[in-house]
Each structure stands twice: as structure tokens, then as C-alpha cells.
Amino acid sequence: MLFAVLFSLAIASLPAAPQDGSADDEPAACKEDWRSDACRIATFDRTLGDLQVTAIEDEAATGAEIYRVRALTAWGRPLPVISFERRLGQSPLVVATDAGGGQMSTRVGGRVWSRVVSASAFADRDLVPEPPAPKQGDIEEIIVCADGSTVMAEMANAPARFGDHRAVRRKLGHSCEDQPVVAYADLLAQMAAEVLPACAALNRSGEGFYTLRNCLALRGDTLAAADLMNALDDAPFEERMERPWTQWLGVSSEPARLDWAGQVVEQSGFTPPGSAKPTIAAFMAERVSALTNLNFYENLVGAETASRGWVTGQITYQTSREDDAQTLVADYRQVWTKKNGYWGLESWLVEPFTPAAP
């Protein structure tokens, strides 16, 4: 029989460091059936402590009106938690929180709040399944969904309709399913990304949850940090030529310094590609060529002022292309300054490389 297989891919994940864990950490419900709703709810509940989020039942007991969505990637990693809140005696606000300790909040106006409330009326409903499509000869269509995310909407003191006296409403769903809870989670994530000032300043496109994850990596003067993050888009981390690195590093009239685990390159201002003088760009292009599977992971982007910022992250590479090759990892910190409207590297410190944890 001929099968037409359609792949529906959910929103893509940015590179992330591996998560530690073992079978002993697995909730009891997941040991019985990892596909069950009980397992997915237990997995979500386990993220509450990591994300410092109050249980929805405790929120309901305070009298607060809460509309909250959470999501886990296909690999069980938590995405930012978005909560639209109206507490007693306070104006409505939105709060976004992530597992890395980042949190942002801002007041929201009546139009945004009304949309959150009205859309919630259907968030915990189930759609009536569509009848199966009739077969066309010997061709059968199979829909395969890969890398989907699990979402949960939780609402406190938020009746869905007149006469609804439930203090808490909760609905679990999956991005591969055509259910209202998935659309509601996407809506709240997108609205949060639009109303939080630093998030709205980011150029990085993508779904609301992933925009928020980038945004929650900002520290200090978050508007300036967002400007720096925008400037560092399209990094030439796979480029073996000097010119793309020269453009990205933006070294101009001021000196710049790279310390790559003890190998130091000092540059006394702008130096064109191909110069006989040593440059940071030439060194980095050589590193990309020489090291196997060299990868750069940006963790946090911060700013002290509108013209001075920093980036922290990790660099990894493998000792060879063999199957038993060892992975080495090092932390790094960059300092950037902005002059004449452009960001340029001031310093880049790469710590000594050590074997990565298994």
C-alpha cells in the first residue's frame, strides 16, 4: 500500500546545554505510562519548584485572578511561564519567568486584559473530532507530528461562563493536537512578548515562547542588552574566512583583546582582513578551521549602560572526529562597547577548556 506521509514540525528549539537527570528523577506516574496525562501533569508539577511558580490552587486561595500557561519542549525542558495576573487591590500585569532565574513583568491595559479573559472561556474545552477523511483508492494519509511541545493552561478565579463556580480550571494539551488550549498558550506567549518592553525590542523572530526565552536571558539595562543581542545576530560561528569575523566583531578605533584559554591576541584598532598584523578575526577563523565541531552557546546578555554591555556563554569542541572523541568545554565572557551607533568588541575572555560532564 502506498502511504503519503506528512510531517508537521512544531516550533524549533534554540541550542541548549544538556540537562542532567536520571530514571530516579522520573515521576511515579511516568514509570507506569509516560504517555498518560497523569505523567504530563506530574512532569509539569515538578517544574514548579525550578521555576519558582506558586501552585495554581494556592493562587486561587488568595482571591487573585490568574491566567497562566506553561510549556515543555519535546525533550522535557521547560519554556518560560507566562502569567497574566489581577491581584486584590492591584492593576493587571503580566509576569514571565524562566528556569534560569530571569523574570520580567509589566502592567497591561484594558484591551490586553480583556482579550486574555475572553479567550480563556474556551481554553479548557475539547473540540469535536473531525470525521476521518475518506480513502482515495489505495492511498492513505498519515499525519506524523515530530518535536511537539506539551502545554498547560491554568486559571484561578476565572469562570468560563455564567454559573461556573470552579476556583481552578486546568487543561493539558500538545502542539500536535488541534485543541483550543494550544492556541491559548500561543496567544498568551505572543501577547507577553509584545507588551514586555525589552522583549518587544528584540529583532529575533519566532514563536512567543522562544522570543520570551531570548528576552529572559537579558540582564541589567535590558533595553540596551536587547540592542546588543540584536547586533550579535548572524554570528559567523561557522565561518572559516576572516572577513565575516571582522564585520561581526566590529573592532574600530579602540584596542581589543582576546584571551583564548591563555592564547592572547591584542589588536590596536581596526585592521583590514589579510593584514600581516595579528587580528582577533583571523584567530577565530583559524579556530573554526582547526577544531572539530566547534560550537558557541550564548547564555546571558547584559548591559551596564546604553553603550556598554557583556555576553556570557560556553564554547565546546571535540578532540577528534572519532566516535570516542572527548568533548571539551569552556566558559567565556565578552565585553562590548557602542560608539557612533555600532557595537564593537572590547574584550573576550575564554577560560581553560576542561572535559565536559558525561
Side-chain angles (χ1 to χ4, degrees):
M1 180 181 291
L2 175 64
F3 292 94
V5 181
L6 304 181
F7 287 88
S8 175
L9 297 178
I11 50 183
S13 174
L14 296 176
Q19 300 285 314
D20 293 331
S22 66
D24 293 337
D25 299 328
E26 189 177 26
C30 298
K31 294 179 180 179
E32 297 175 3
D33 183 2
W34 63 270
R35 295 168 297 183
S36 66
D37 283 353
C39 172
R40 290 194 284 180
I41 291 174
T43 303
F44 266 107
D45 288 342
R46 188 172 58 176
T47 69
L48 283 175
D50 294 339
L51 291 168
Q52 300 179 352
V53 177
T54 304
I56 197 67
E57 292 79 8
D58 294 337
E59 292 281 29
T62 69
E65 187 177 353
I66 306 290
Y67 303 86
R68 184 169 72 195
V69 293
R70 291 186 280 158
L72 295 175
T73 67
W75 301 274
R77 298 170 182 169
L79 292 171
V81 176
I82 301 101
S83 182
F84 285 81
E85 308 174 354
R86 192 167 198 166
R87 302 186 180 277
L88 298 179
Q90 300 180 28
S91 300
L93 74 160
V94 58
V95 181
T97 308
D98 71 3
Q103 185 177 87
M104 292 185 177
S105 64
T106 190
R107 301 292 177 185
V108 298
R111 181 176 298 179
V112 170
W113 182 256
S114 296
R115 191 177 181 193
V116 170
V117 173
S118 60
S120 75
F122 302 97
D124 59 342
R125 302 280 191 92
D126 288 317
L127 295 179
V128 177
E130 295 183 359
K135 292 184 179 180
Q136 299 181 359
D138 61 348
I139 298 178
E140 181 179 351
E141 181 180 276
I142 300 176
I143 306 297
V144 178
C145 180
D147 296 345
S149 56
T150 306
V151 302
M152 179 185 284
E154 300 171 302
M155 292 147 283
N157 301 314
R161 62 195 69 84
F162 180 77
D164 183 0
H165 301 294
R166 292 174 292 172
V168 170
R169 290 191 289 137
R170 177 186 283 113
K171 184 65 175 178
L172 195 69
H174 196 277
S175 61
C176 292
E177 303 165 352
D178 187 15
Q179 293 294 339
V181 65
V182 177
Y184 189 64
D186 289 342
L187 172 66
L188 264 58
Q190 192 61 45
M191 292 177 68
E194 292 173 357
V195 299
L196 288 164
C199 301
L202 287 178
N203 291 339
R204 296 185 178 184
S205 60
E207 301 288 344
F209 279 109
Y210 290 94
T211 299
L212 288 170
R213 188 166 69 176
N214 289 332
C215 182
L216 288 166
L218 303 176
R219 296 292 186 271
D221 183 335
T222 53
L223 284 178
D227 183 40
L228 175 57
M229 183 178 279
N230 289 337
L232 300 184
D233 272 350
D234 301 322
F237 291 152
E238 297 181 357
E239 291 289 345
R240 302 185 179 193
M241 302 297 291
E242 182 179 357
R243 186 174 299 277
W245 280 100
T246 299
Q247 295 173 343
W248 185 74
L249 292 167
V251 178
S252 55
S253 59
E254 300 297 324
R257 186 178 194 270
L258 167 67
D259 183 340
W260 181 281
Q263 293 182 266
V264 177
V265 179
E266 294 184 332
Q267 186 173 332
S268 59
F270 174 74
T271 304
S275 172
K277 296 181 180 180
T279 66
I280 297 173
F283 181 90
M284 292 308 303
E286 185 276 331
R287 292 287 82 191
V288 175
S289 299
L291 299 179
T292 302
N293 293 332
L294 181 64
N295 288 294
F296 300 78
Y297 299 99
E298 178 186 284
N299 291 338
L300 300 175
V301 179
E304 301 162 5
T305 67
S307 59
R308 187 175 181 82
W310 51 265
V311 179
T312 62
Q314 287 186 323
I315 301 173
T316 66
Y317 72 90
Q318 291 182 302
T319 53
S320 71
R321 297 187 181 277
E322 303 300 325
D323 292 339
D324 59 350
Q326 189 176 40
T327 298
L328 301 180
V329 59
D331 294 329
Y332 75 80
R333 179 181 175 86
Q334 300 170 332
V335 176
W336 297 77
T337 56
K338 188 176 184 179
K339 292 188 176 181
N340 301 320
Y342 296 96
W343 289 94
L345 182 75
E346 177 182 295
S347 66
W348 189 350
L349 173 62
V350 181
E351 300 290 348
F353 286 85
T354 58

